Amino acid sequence: LAASLSMVQVQAAFQTLDLSAACAAAFSNAPSPQSWSVLPRGTNAFHGIPFRVDGKLEVTGIQDASKGEFHPPRLDRLPVRGRAHRVHLLHGMDGVDKDGIPLAKVVLRYGNGGQRSFRLAYGVQGRSWMQERSERAGGLLDPESRQAWTSAAEDPERPGSSVRLFQ
């Protein structure tokens, strides 16, 4: 799971979150694929929502762990400050699975001690960030989720595939 966050403040203006420190501190023993170099760095708007891409934030999944590639098991205390009506997440999932399989749990902790959580599931809020030419299903089951970005060129490590992110 790679992520960038953007939140809608009470005044209906967007505020991107600076996750550069979290990206710099993230540890992984897995090599970064060349595919990461094609990601749209900096601030970009997708479907009218601005996102700031500072790098990658990965968490360990079952497929990575089975290959001996370990990322942090969770990302804690990402710096969300202020009040918001809505939080937008820009992400990609690694690997292909059946639609509906849960892949991540996002927990929002509020200053008043409350919290809210939701799950991201394959085919519901996102699909593999590597779109293989042979992929049949491309749409998402959640009407609030959609593909936000795709690379204009093929992935250099996997001919016939492209890189994409979901919102």
Side-chain angles (χ1 to χ4, degrees):
L1 174 74
S4 174
L5 295 171
S6 187
M7 62 185 214
V8 181
Q9 290 189 309
V10 175
Q11 303 88 356
F14 292 97
Q15 175 186 344
T16 60
L17 302 177
D18 183 356
L19 301 177
S20 58
C23 291
F27 170 77
S28 170
N29 72 341
S32 289
Q34 286 182 328
S35 309
W36 285 107
S37 65
V38 302
L39 291 178
R41 301 293 176 138
T43 302
N44 295 280
F46 305 112
H47 302 288
I49 309 296
F51 290 94
R52 179 174 165 175
V53 178
D54 296 310
K56 62 180 179 168
L57 294 173
E58 296 177 278
V59 293
T60 295
I62 293 171
Q63 290 178 2
D64 285 344
S66 70
K67 294 184 289 188
E69 297 176 356
F70 295 99
H71 313 284
R74 60 194 288 166
L75 300 170
D76 286 325
R77 295 177 175 79
L78 296 177
V80 178
R81 307 263 190 265
R83 298 179 70 144
H85 289 291
R86 180 174 259 186
V87 176
H88 295 265
L89 175 67
L90 184 67
H91 63 91
M93 301 171 184
D94 191 12
V96 177
D97 221 322
K98 292 181 182 177
D99 284 359
I101 298 294
L103 297 175
K105 180 179 179 181
V106 176
V107 179
L108 302 173
R109 292 185 175 89
Y110 302 103
N112 66 5
Q115 74 177 31
R116 181 170 181 217
S117 65
F118 56 93
R119 294 196 181 275
L120 298 178
Y122 194 85
V124 180
Q125 288 86 16
R127 295 192 175 279
S128 177
W129 70 287
M130 298 290 297
Q131 183 176 12
E132 303 290 342
R133 202 174 1 184
S134 61
E135 181 182 301
R136 290 183 180 183
L140 299 174
L141 300 173
D142 176 7
E144 295 290 322
S145 299
R146 57 189 151 193
Q147 185 171 315
W149 172 87
T150 188
S151 62
E154 290 184 349
D155 175 48
E157 295 175 350
R158 295 184 189 170
S161 63
S162 60
V163 179
R164 60 192 173 174
L165 295 172
F166 295 90
Q167 166 181 352

